[in-house]
């Protein structure tokens, strides 16, 4: 097969004595084949087959030109056709994504053919996806550029009297105006006390003088996500708020220094976490995560992560401090691991912006 990604997965399958795989997770299907519609993907030595229904046949042929396309007849489950494709390719053992396949789908697969054994994928496509190629990096970088430009454009809108929701909508409008497909995830805008909720939903809270406003957002380009967070001050903030901001920024910068090939996820996490601890702060979430077709991917930068960074990984560096009832602050870049270190894909400034 021509497809490098499919060949890499086939090699991994051979390592567990499987000759084929059935894939259903949309980001895995898209990464392997280009197909973006409903249905599933069968991978064997003979090639890849998209199994779908008549509504998606044309899209599948266009999006996944390297794949065969089979359309199901009414009342026939996709799994039955998948089992046929596996059988025709002489597959005895097929792997599946045991983290996403439903019980019903698994039953349909085993009912369709007794001659094929199914085993969970040992090397998941997500592992292979963690190292991005040049096209993927270009898409992520474009999405990051759009996010930064949108941020710069909406800064003038952040002032007393404006609601969190208005800022979120303004950001998302700019993404589209700047050529993004849409958002990579639900935009977070958290002002004042709401800033202490890492995943605050933007509401009708009105921005007031003396608040820190945290915005976590990302545009999507050619399926790829960007992820960034900036916290800005509105009017005069307290010494405590300033200290929170400076501590988070220093933790962010120190972690960035630690992101390089060979670094272990938990060690990078500890660089930021340990620094904030020395300032008397704690943060409840992990330092960062991979970014790609999914907003949260491998590798992970967390207290429990054994993931070893490699060139081509794109990870976030996003320490935060949250003081319940007072304020919150987070600063986040999407960062590319390079041969000898890392490079932030987020050109937006990090010094405190006061509006
Ligand atoms: Zn984020
Ligand atoms: Zn993130």
């Amino acid at each position: 097969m021509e497809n490098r990604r499919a060949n890499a997965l086939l090699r991994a399958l051979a390592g567990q004595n499987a000759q084929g795989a059935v894939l259903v997770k949309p980001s895995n299907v898209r990464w392997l084949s280009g197909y973006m519609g409903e249905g599933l993907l069968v991978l064997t030595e003979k090639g890849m087959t998209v199994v779908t229904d008549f509504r998606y046949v044309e899209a599948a042929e266009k999006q996944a030109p390297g794949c065969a396309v089979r359309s199901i007849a009414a009342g026939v489950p996709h799994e039955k056709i998948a089992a046929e494709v596996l059988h025709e390719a002489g597959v005895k053992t097929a792997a599946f994504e045991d983290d996403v396949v439903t019980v019903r789908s698994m039953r349909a697969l085993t009912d369709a053919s007794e001659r094929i054994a199914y085993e969970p994928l040992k090397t998941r496509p997500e592992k292979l996806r963690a190292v991005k190629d040049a096209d993927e990096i270009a898409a992520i970088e474009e999405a990051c550029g759009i996010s930064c430009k949108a941020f710069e454009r909406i800064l003038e809108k952040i002032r007393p009297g404006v609601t969190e929701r208005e800022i979120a909508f303004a950001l998302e409008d700019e993404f589209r105006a700047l050529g993004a497909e849409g958002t990579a995830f639900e935009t977070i805008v958290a002002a004042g006390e709401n800033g202490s909720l890492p995943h605050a939903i933007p509401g009708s809270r009105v921005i007031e003088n003396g608040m820190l406003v945290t915005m976590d957002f990302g545009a999507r380009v050619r399926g790829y996500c960007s992820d960034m967070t900036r916290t800005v001050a509105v009017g005069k903030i307290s010494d405590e708020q300033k200290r929170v901001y400076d501590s988070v920024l220093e933790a962010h910068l120190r972690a960035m220094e630690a992101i390089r090939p060979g670094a272990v996820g938990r060690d990078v996490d500890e660089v930021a976490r340990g620094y904030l601890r020395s300032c008397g702060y704690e943060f409840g979430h992990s330092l960062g995560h991979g970014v790609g077709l999914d907003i949260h991917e491998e590798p992970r930068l967390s207290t429990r992560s054994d993931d070893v960074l490699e060139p081509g990984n794109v990870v976030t560096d996003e320490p935060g401090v949250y003081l319940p009832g007072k304020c919150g602050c987070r600063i986040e870049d999407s960062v590319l691991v390079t041969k000898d270190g890392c490079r932030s894909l987020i050109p937006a400034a990090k010094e405190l912006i006061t509006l």
Side-chain angles (χ1 to χ4, degrees):
M1 223 187 308
E2 294 278 295
N3 188 317
R4 258 187 306 133
R5 297 174 184 175
N7 283 332
L9 186 57
L10 278 170
R11 273 195 302 279
L13 289 170
Q16 66 175 99
N17 288 318
Q19 307 83 38
V22 178
L23 298 134
V24 295
K25 185 171 169 177
S27 53
N28 284 340
V29 169
R30 181 170 183 173
W31 181 76
L32 282 163
S33 70
Y35 178 56
M36 293 181 259
E38 289 180 20
L40 51 78
L41 182 72
V42 182
L43 168 69
T44 73
E45 295 281 353
K46 297 245 166 77
M48 289 191 284
T49 304
V50 173
V51 180
T52 186
D53 63 73
F54 70 96
R55 294 173 300 162
Y56 294 98
V57 169
E58 208 182 323
E61 284 166 351
K62 210 173 272 169
Q63 293 163 357
C67 299
V69 179
R70 292 224 196 158
S71 180
I72 56 164
V76 177
H78 293 75
E79 290 83 355
K80 189 166 188 327
I81 308 297
E84 274 175 30
V85 173
L86 290 169
H87 191 63
E88 286 161 18
V91 172
K92 301 269 182 293
T93 301
F96 66 96
E97 301 148 303
D98 64 340
D99 53 341
V100 286
V101 171
T102 62
V103 174
R104 183 190 293 174
S105 177
M106 200 60 241
R107 197 167 290 150
L109 278 172
T110 44
D111 283 354
S113 172
E114 284 175 359
R115 287 171 292 190
I116 300 167
Y118 291 95
E119 278 180 11
L121 266 167
K122 285 210 175 100
T123 302
R124 297 154 57 243
E126 287 88 338
K127 264 258 128 41
L128 306 173
R129 283 167 47 192
V131 175
K132 271 72 183 174
D133 64 27
D135 290 343
E136 294 179 292
I137 292 165
I140 296 170
E141 195 155 15
E142 213 174 294
C144 287
I146 288 174
S147 303
C148 288
K149 195 156 262 163
F151 171 66
E152 280 157 17
R153 285 192 185 175
I154 63 102
L155 275 176
E156 59 172 29
K157 294 204 165 86
I158 305 174
R159 60 176 106 85
V162 173
T163 65
E164 293 170 335
R165 203 182 278 126
E166 285 170 322
I167 297 171
F169 287 169
L171 273 168
E172 295 177 1
D173 277 351
E174 291 295 348
F175 290 171
R176 290 186 181 83
L178 291 162
E181 289 163 1
T183 57
F185 56 93
E186 205 73 42
T187 302
I188 295 167
V189 177
E193 291 157 44
N194 280 354
S196 69
L197 309 169
H199 279 163
I201 297 162
S204 49
R205 171 173 276 266
V206 174
I207 310 293
E208 291 166 30
N209 268 320
M211 278 182 173
L212 286 176
V213 181
T214 298
M215 292 156 280
D216 188 346
F217 52 95
R220 194 184 279 271
V221 170
R222 295 192 292 282
Y224 284 83
C225 300
S226 64
D227 193 1
M228 68 180 281
T229 306
R230 287 293 181 270
T231 299
V232 299
V234 178
K236 194 172 159 38
I237 57 167
S238 68
D239 290 347
E240 185 181 35
Q241 286 168 312
K242 180 80 174 81
R243 184 166 177 269
V244 165
Y245 190 92
D246 291 342
S247 306
V248 171
L249 178 56
E250 182 62 22
H252 169 89
L253 295 173
R254 287 186 183 205
M256 190 96 82
E257 288 287 309
I259 296 174
R260 67 173 76 93
V264 179
R266 74 158 77 86
D267 297 337
V268 179
D269 180 280
E270 180 55 25
V271 169
R273 197 173 302 279
Y275 175 74
L276 286 174
R277 202 183 297 123
S278 76
C279 301
Y281 299 126
E282 273 179 36
F283 73 104
H285 56 78
S286 55
L287 175 68
H289 53 86
V291 176
L293 286 170
D294 288 321
I295 183 62
H296 295 126
E297 297 196 347
E298 297 177 26
R300 306 277 169 175
L301 306 178
S302 75
T303 51
R304 285 164 301 151
S305 171
D306 299 325
D307 295 343
V308 178
L309 296 181
E310 289 179 66
N313 290 155
V314 177
V315 292
T316 65
D317 168 10
E318 51 178 308
V321 165
Y322 311 98
L323 303 181
K326 285 184 180 168
C327 67
C329 173
R330 183 165 66 252
I331 300 171
E332 174 183 29
D333 278 8
S334 299
V335 176
L336 171 69
V337 180
T338 58
K339 250 188 280 166
D340 45 13
C342 72
R343 176 167 72 84
S344 174
L345 303 176
I346 302 289
K350 282 174 236 192
E351 299 77 45
L352 181 63
I353 297 172
T354 301
L355 300 163

